[in-house]
Amino acid sequence: MLQPDDKAGHPPETWHVYTDGSSRHERRQTFSGWAARAVQPQTRQVRQVSGAGPGGDSLGAETTAILEGLRLVPAGASVLLHSDLDPALLLTVLESGPGEAARAHLRGVDVHPILRHTAAHHRDMHDAARAAEREAREGASLGSASLPNAVQDAQLQARAGRTDAVETRGPVRRLPGLTGPLRLWVRGVTSGRAAGSGRTLVTLTLDLPDVQGTGPTETAALGDALEGMLLALTRGTLIHLQVPERWREAVAAAMAGHGAVRVVPEPEEPTPPAEDG
């Protein structure tokens, strides 16, 4: 069950998800549109999606926006969901089968019912939902004009590290999740020279098959090794990368551009003294 959670503020790694949906009846036909945006201010990431089509109603559009908004967030993340849907209906959506499936990959969801149009991001979602609906009526390609501009505006806000304040419609309620970040351990790093190229070669040993990378320096080669393995993974999940303390700075520098990778230093066991023969 959802539990009240009235504590002010949320951890900086929290993703903020804004959603809205609408429907309109014209010329004996109904069209519905929806939009969702996920923002991570700490790492300056923005993800957005919208859709529309004939038929449906406002509740169906709102529901689709909520489910698709949660799916935008990488696995293992915590979410603060902003929605102006009636709180009772919002909880019904999240506790339904589709709602549980849409949030099963998350660490947890804090549900924040808000008043209509009380934040810039949420107004953007309303405008995007209406634009998608209009494009569907006119037969235009979905997102042909409105979506890129909205994402660009959101990226500017995210780069400033800001999420917008909203007026509450009820207490924040916490829905515990099932999944934490993917944890990987760096078991060892060896380096040498790549044959015939004059470049540095490193072999990175994780609790996975070995991964190799090359570069002009050891740090660059390490970054190349990490890129090859982690880039695909970070599209779908947060990663906590456990590294020996002596490699912390090099790995952190290599991963500086990857907001979904968190480098966690791990104390190393002291080398036992050599026994006298």
Side-chain angles (χ1 to χ4, degrees), residues 177-261:
L178 303 174
T179 306
L182 174 64
R183 295 186 181 273
L184 298 175
W185 280 260
V186 173
R187 300 304 187 191
V189 179
T190 58
S191 62
R193 304 300 291 179
S197 69
R199 294 167 66 84
T200 298
L201 170 71
V202 300
T203 299
L204 184 65
T205 302
L206 300 164
D207 44 349
L208 289 170
D210 288 355
V211 177
Q212 292 188 337
T214 62
T217 66
E218 193 170 59
T219 298
L222 179 64
D224 184 57
L226 290 167
E227 285 272 355
M229 178 198 62
L230 297 181
L231 186 59
L233 290 176
T234 56
R235 292 193 182 101
T237 185
L238 298 182
I239 293 176
H240 282 188
L241 187 61
Q242 308 274 154
V243 302
E245 178 63 40
R246 70 183 185 278
W247 281 100
R248 178 180 60 83
E249 290 188 8
V251 173
M255 292 290 94
H258 294 272
V261 178

Side-chain angles (χ1 to χ4, degrees), residues 53-145:
D57 56 24
S58 292
L59 178 57
E62 294 274 9
T63 298
T64 300
I66 291 166
L67 302 183
E68 294 299 327
L70 294 176
R71 294 184 182 115
L72 289 174
V73 181
S78 296
V79 168
L80 180 61
L81 173 65
H82 305 271
S83 171
D84 64 3
L85 187 61
D86 175 81
L89 289 175
L90 179 55
L91 300 189
T92 298
V93 169
L94 291 170
E95 292 182 321
S96 68
E100 291 183 354
R103 57 182 171 79
H105 66 294
L106 300 172
R107 180 185 294 184
V109 179
D110 287 352
V111 184
H112 189 186
I114 64 173
L115 296 178
R116 190 170 180 81
H117 301 163
T118 59
H121 279 304
H122 201 264
R123 287 194 297 274
D124 284 349
M125 292 303 89
H126 176 76
D127 292 342
R130 287 294 192 187
E133 180 187 288
R134 182 175 62 254
E135 289 167 355
R137 290 197 305 274
E138 295 172 352
S141 174
L142 184 61
S144 57

Side-chain angles (χ1 to χ4, degrees), residues 248-275:
R248 178 180 60 83
E249 290 188 8
V251 173
M255 292 290 94
H258 294 272
V261 178
R262 189 158 306 220
V263 178
V264 182
E266 188 174 67
E268 298 182 62
E269 296 182 4
T271 303
E275 296 182 3

Side-chain angles (χ1 to χ4, degrees), residues 148-160:
N149 292 336
V151 171
Q152 186 177 38
D153 292 343
Q155 286 171 337
L156 293 175
Q157 293 188 55
R159 289 193 191 103

Side-chain angles (χ1 to χ4, degrees), residues 10 42 45 102 147:
H10 290 81
Q42 185 184 49
Q45 296 180 77
L147 193 59

